[in-house]
């Protein structure tokens, strides 16, 4: 049973932030991607993950499908991908500097605030980080977790 | 690095009392001044320090919920609700149902017998007493104070009895197991613990811990919570008849050559990780051993496949000691398996046999820690899904005792490996434990209780 992360981080619109954004964009495949790939693979809680920038360059978007509780997952991200999130929060309009955000509570609360609910309702009556019914997420494999699926593929 | 000031710490935090009767009176504050008056009236009776040093005298402790603190105006001089809400973490939110695996019959909508909500609970007065007479007297004292202060008592029973626990056969719980054996050893007096003990900061707020961050971490709120602890107060229903039936039906599968009664004991031990008298399976896998019943000096490292103690046995999930964690959890728990301080007592009358009598019984469990997410909720998540360590062939298994099979994707199969390489799998058709209610409480220091009451 996976949850969906729809993290929409508003990006500051000043020239310096946009330059940094362009830098992330240009170097993502060689610099960030291998680190994410390793952390995601080792974690065995991530089904899928992608990051993108909206065409108006106003949002940095992280979309994932993951197993486990929201609070656990946020801590996994913070502790295992600090470089990526440092860059994202440096660009972000609102949550504060990375030094302020880089702790269990503030990181979770910031990620909760930036989460956009998917339309519809969870078929498993899962709860979002506000204890409300989570939005709809199609599950082709039922509620199976990554840890259950991987051995079946061997 | 001053020693912990025992005079400022409620006794419930420092240890379990040996009194055979406990009672938990739940209240809602109707008027701020009344609530403060109530605290102020009870303050002289609040027990502090090590409960073992308190002798046979009645013990009274007070815990407050987030809504209770708001109703008491505890943050009025600290910037109010908004400032406080930005300082606390998870304590100021409803209990997390996914982490509690609170699905199906355990859903929060069913809690507290549907008579009130967790958010209605403001103050809990926890009593431990030696006799029924004392129980009556102390209850009368608390209720009289509540009446004067116009507090609303919240009752789970139609008969009007507050939640009351009475020791069943000494330290036994319903299901027959002995409890109260394994407790984390804590160095209460040093920030950097000595002698292999855990740091006090893992349990007492306001002290450093290398294992967990705890919130609030900035003044004035960090001072407000100092010398207190967060506490998950849980009412857990136990279906004794279903448990006994399960043992009878499944024991012969596990141990066909043993007499039925012995086979049932064996299955019960495999589910818990201890024989019902307390003997750890790791120290005596084939029979209970009175001399080892209270021992806690064991580990699971030389039993990687669960032959002595099944991997998903209750205590092996609740505290897997030095068993390897998976990669994610190694980064989340560099100090090893999360621990909580456990306090509690069974409630409701004994039941024997397989015929349910419709009477409510179970366990009042109180779990104290500095970080609700990393300690209490994590243990709950793992009891409800055994995916925290690579040793589990079944990553969606559950603790066979408390598991909730309605949790989406959960497996209710419990695998019991044996010496000859085979394993017996028993399936739980009925869950044995149901969550009847969870309240997140702060067990404040005496100073904080005094300050909150001060305006009365
Ligand atoms: C009705 C439900 C439950 C029953 C009957 C029960 C029973 C027991 C018993 C008999 C023990 C062994 C005695 C001891 O080591 O002191 C134990 C240990 C323990 N239980 Fe439970 N328990 C229940 C629910 C829970 C829950 C909900 C939690 C979640 C926090 C929990 C956490 C623990 C922990 C941490 C230990 C100590 C394990 C160790 O250090 O070896 N229990 N329980």
């Amino acid at each position: 049973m996976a949850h969906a992360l729809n993290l929409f981080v508003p990006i500051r619109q000043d020239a310096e932030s946009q330059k940094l954004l362009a830098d992330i964009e240009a170097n993502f495949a060689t610099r960030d991607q291998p680190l994410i790939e390793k952390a995601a693979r080792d974690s065995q809680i991530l089904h899928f993950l992608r990051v993108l920038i909206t065409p108006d360059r106003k949002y940095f978007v992280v979309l994932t499908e993951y197993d486990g509780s929201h609070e656990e997952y946020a801590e996994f991200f913070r502790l295992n991908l600090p470089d990526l999130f440092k860059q994202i929060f440096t660009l972000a309009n609102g949550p504060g500097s990375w030094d302020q955000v880089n702790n269990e509570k503030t990181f979770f609360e910031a990620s909760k605030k930036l989460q956009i609910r998917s339309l519809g309702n969870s078929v498993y009556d899962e709860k979002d980080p506000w204890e409300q019914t989570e939005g709809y997420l199609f599950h082709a494999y039922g509620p199976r977790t990554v840890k259950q699926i991987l051995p079946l593929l061997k | 690095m001053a020693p912990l000031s025992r005079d400022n710490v409620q006794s419930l935090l420092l240890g379990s009392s040996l009194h055979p009767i406990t009672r938990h009176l739940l209240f809602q504050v109707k008027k701020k001044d009344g609530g403060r008056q109530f605290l102020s009236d009870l303050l002289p009776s609040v027990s502090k320090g090590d409960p073992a040093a308190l002798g046979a005298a009645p013990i009274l402790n007070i815990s407050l919920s987030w809504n209770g603190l708001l109703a008491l105006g505890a943050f009025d001089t600290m910037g109010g609700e908004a400032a406080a809400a930005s300082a606390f973490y998870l304590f100021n939110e409803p209990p997390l149902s996914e982490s509690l695996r609170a699905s199906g019959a355990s859903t929060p909508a069913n809690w507290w017998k549907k008579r009130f909500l967790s958010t209605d609970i403001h103050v809990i007065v926890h009593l431990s007493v030696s006799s029924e007479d004392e129980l009556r007297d102390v209850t009368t004292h608390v209720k009289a104070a509540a009446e004067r202060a116009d507090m609303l008592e919240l009752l789970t029973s139609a008969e009007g009895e507050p939640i009351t626990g009475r020791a069943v056969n000494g330290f036994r719980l319903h299901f027959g197991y002995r409890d109260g054996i394994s407790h984390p050893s804590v160095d209460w007096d040093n920030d950097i613990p000595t002698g292999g003990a855990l740091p006090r900061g893992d349990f007492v707020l306001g002290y450093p811990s290398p294992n967990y961050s705890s919130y609030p971490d900035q003044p004035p709120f960090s001072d407000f919570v100092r010398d207190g602890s967060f506490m998950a107060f849980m009412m857990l229903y136990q279906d004794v008849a279903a448990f006994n039936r399960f043992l009878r039906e499944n024991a012969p599968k596990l141990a066909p050559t043993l007499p039925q009664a012995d086979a049932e004991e064996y299955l019960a031990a495999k589910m818990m990780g201890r024989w019902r008298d307390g003997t750890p399976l790791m120290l005596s896998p084939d029979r209970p051993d009175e001399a080892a019943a209270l021992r806690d000096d064991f580990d699971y490292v030389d039993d990687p496949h669960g032959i002595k103690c099944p991997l998903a046995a209750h205590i092996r999930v609740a505290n897997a000691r030095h068993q390897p964690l998976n990669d994610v959890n190694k980064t989340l728990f560099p100090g090893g398996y999360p621990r909580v301080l456990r306090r509690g007592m069974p409630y409701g009358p004994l039941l024997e046999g397989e015929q349910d009598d419709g009477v409510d019984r179970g366990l009042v469990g109180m779990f104290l820690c500095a970080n609700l997410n990393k300690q209490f909720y994590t243990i709950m998540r793992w009891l409800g899904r055994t995916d925290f360590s690579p040793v589990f062939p079944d990553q969606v298994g559950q603790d066979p005792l408390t598991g909730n099979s309605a949790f989406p994707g959960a497996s209710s199969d419990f695998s019991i490996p044996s010496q000859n390489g085979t394993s017996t799998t028993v399936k739980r058709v009925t869950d044995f434990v149901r969550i009847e209610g969870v309240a997140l409480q702060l067990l404040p220091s005496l100073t904080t209780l005094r300050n909150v009451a001060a305006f009365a």
Side-chain angles (χ1 to χ4, degrees):
Chain A
M1 174 181 67
H3 290 294
L5 176 79
N6 305 329
L7 192 79
F8 276 65
V9 185
I11 299 168
R12 281 205 297 271
Q13 295 300 300
D14 58 278
E16 199 185 328
S17 304
Q18 290 295 318
K19 204 170 140 233
L20 197 58
L21 184 67
D23 175 69
I24 298 180
E25 193 172 26
N27 294 305
F28 185 84
T30 52
R31 189 180 58 201
D32 301 295
Q33 192 177 317
L35 295 176
I36 298 176
E37 174 78 14
K38 174 158 185 0
R41 190 166 298 287
D42 290 350
S43 77
Q44 300 207 345
I45 55 172
L46 271 158
H47 292 252
F48 299 101
L49 175 154
R50 58 254 177 242
V51 288
L52 51 99
I53 298 162
T54 52
D56 59 8
R57 304 188 78 75
K58 286 191 171 156
Y59 290 93
F60 195 98
V61 183
V62 183
L63 302 171
T64 74
E65 284 74 32
Y66 64 93
D67 300 322
S69 81
H70 311 290
E71 297 74 14
E72 222 175 347
Y73 178 65
E75 259 308 76
F76 156 73
F77 253 175
R78 182 179 75 85
L79 295 171
N80 289 279
L81 290 172
D83 295 340
L84 175 70
F85 281 95
K86 184 175 178 175
Q87 292 181 71
I88 298 177
F89 281 104
T90 308
L91 291 176
N93 197 0
S97 71
W98 178 240
D99 278 351
Q100 289 166 319
V101 175
N102 186 16
N103 66 71
E104 183 184 350
K105 166 183 149 63
T106 319
F107 187 82
F108 176 67
E109 285 170 354
S111 65
K112 190 166 146 179
K113 243 182 230 149
L114 301 175
Q115 163 81 356
I116 306 280
R117 188 183 186 277
S118 305
L119 304 183
N121 292 321
S122 158
V123 286
Y124 297 108
D125 193 26
E126 291 197 89
K127 297 289 182 270
D128 66 15
W130 296 268
E131 282 292 304
Q132 304 298 317
T133 301
E134 191 161 43
Y136 173 63
L137 176 68
F138 170 69
H139 291 66
Y141 320 105
R144 288 185 183 79
T145 64
V146 175
K147 288 185 190 113
Q148 277 179 296
I149 294 169
L150 286 178
L152 301 177
L153 303 178
K154 281 196 182 132
Chain B
M1 213 159 84
L4 192 70
S5 160
R6 306 295 196 276
D7 274 356
N8 200 30
V9 180
Q10 292 201 58
S11 62
L12 193 58
L13 172 48
L14 291 170
S16 299
S17 92
L18 295 178
H19 295 342
I21 308 173
T22 58
R23 175 163 277 176
H24 308 273
L25 295 127
L26 280 47
F27 294 103
Q28 188 169 42
V29 174
K30 278 163 62 184
K31 293 189 198 109
K32 190 194 290 186
D33 290 345
R36 289 171 171 180
Q37 184 64 53
F38 182 60
L39 293 189
S40 155
D41 281 1
L42 293 186
L43 256 168
S45 317
V46 173
S47 308
K48 48 193 188 258
D50 182 355
L54 298 173
I59 290 183
L60 184 152
N61 291 115
I62 298 179
S63 69
L64 306 171
S65 69
W66 171 253
N67 277 353
L69 291 166
L70 294 181
L72 289 159
F75 307 124
D76 285 0
T77 58
M78 290 181 245
E81 178 176 352
S86 67
F88 283 84
Y89 179 49
L90 296 181
F91 170 66
N92 49 329
E93 317 227 343
L96 301 174
S97 54
E98 179 177 343
S99 294
L100 296 169
R101 309 324 196 191
S103 305
S106 290
T107 184
N110 291 345
W111 288 0
W112 311 114
K113 313 276 181 221
K114 298 191 183 171
R115 291 167 157 264
F116 52 88
L117 304 173
S118 294
T119 44
D120 294 332
I121 302 170
H122 290 171
V123 181
I124 307 183
V125 180
H126 311 271
L127 308 177
S128 295
V129 295
S130 308
S131 67
E132 295 293 336
D133 285 350
E134 240 173 43
L135 180 67
R136 191 199 51 230
D137 293 349
V138 187
T139 304
T140 307
H141 167 64
V142 175
K143 286 198 180 199
E147 205 165 307
R148 284 196 299 277
D150 201 16
M151 303 281 284
L152 177 69
E153 188 180 358
L154 305 170
L155 292 163
T156 52
S157 92
E159 295 73 38
E161 204 200 24
I163 303 167
T164 304
R166 289 181 177 85
V168 186
N169 293 342
F171 291 93
R172 301 282 176 128
L173 303 177
H174 296 295
F175 300 167
Y177 298 102
R178 193 193 200 287
D179 196 8
I181 305 166
S182 162
H183 293 294
S185 134
V186 184
D187 185 338
W188 300 110
D189 293 316
N190 298 291
D191 281 345
I192 298 163
T194 50
L198 290 173
R200 55 186 175 183
D202 284 8
F203 307 101
V204 191
L205 297 166
Y207 296 88
S209 157
N211 301 324
Y212 313 104
S213 35
S214 87
Y215 304 94
D217 57 357
Q218 300 294 324
F221 300 103
S222 52
D223 296 330
F224 182 85
V225 297
R226 186 181 315 284
D227 287 341
S229 188
F230 290 121
M231 178 169 89
F233 176 87
M234 294 187 90
M235 209 175 152
L236 298 161
Y237 168 78
Q238 291 179 253
D239 188 340
V240 173
F243 182 75
N244 289 345
R245 194 175 324 118
F246 176 84
L247 292 183
R248 179 180 52 77
E249 287 173 357
N250 290 281
K253 278 189 230 161
L254 174 67
T257 57
L258 287 182
Q260 176 72 20
D262 293 353
E264 289 186 18
E265 284 307 315
Y266 191 47
L267 175 56
K270 291 285 186 185
M271 294 168 78
M272 174 55 70
R274 287 184 184 268
W275 294 88
R276 289 208 263 206
D277 75 343
T279 310
L281 280 176
M282 289 307 296
L283 297 179
S284 179
D286 300 322
R287 64 192 58 82
D289 170 5
E290 215 184 313
L294 300 185
R295 279 178 62 182
D296 197 32
D297 54 335
F298 60 90
D299 206 330
Y300 303 105
V301 274
D302 66 346
D303 186 36
H305 304 295
I307 289 164
K308 285 188 195 163
C309 176
L311 300 170
H314 179 70
I315 63 163
R316 191 165 179 171
V317 176
N319 173 21
R321 303 177 186 224
H322 293 101
Q323 186 166 288
L325 282 163
N326 64 24
D327 285 342
V328 170
N329 288 314
K330 270 187 215 151
T331 60
L332 265 62
F333 302 98
Y337 279 83
R339 308 293 303 276
V340 288
L341 300 176
R342 292 181 302 131
R343 312 282 180 247
M345 169 103 34
Y347 71 89
L350 253 180
L351 178 78
E352 282 171 7
E354 297 176 19
Q355 201 59 46
D356 187 32
D357 56 3
V359 178
D360 192 13
R361 62 175 55 76
L363 175 72
V364 174
M366 293 173 282
F367 303 99
L368 285 78
C369 58
N371 182 319
L372 286 167
N373 184 36
K374 290 242 172 113
Q375 294 170 270
F376 169 66
Y377 280 131
T378 296
I379 297 174
M380 292 304 295
R381 286 177 200 128
W382 295 353
L383 289 171
R385 175 167 284 173
T386 54
D387 64 353
F388 53 92
S389 163
V391 303
F392 288 97
D394 182 1
Q395 292 274 320
V396 291
Q398 299 190 316
D399 158 27
L401 201 81
T402 65
N404 180 346
S405 49
F407 181 60
S411 157
S412 48
D413 288 351
F414 175 51
S415 169
I416 308 169
S418 74
Q419 203 89 52
N420 63 14
T422 61
S423 77
T424 308
T425 299
V426 290
K427 194 171 189 57
R428 207 172 62 248
V429 229
T430 312
D431 292 334
F432 310 125
V433 173
R434 190 172 72 221
I435 300 179
E436 283 286 313
V438 182
L440 302 180
Q441 301 290 111
L442 174 72
L443 187 72
S445 68
L446 273 290
T447 307
T448 294
L449 276 178
R450 231 172 268 129
N451 287 343
V452 175
F455 304 98

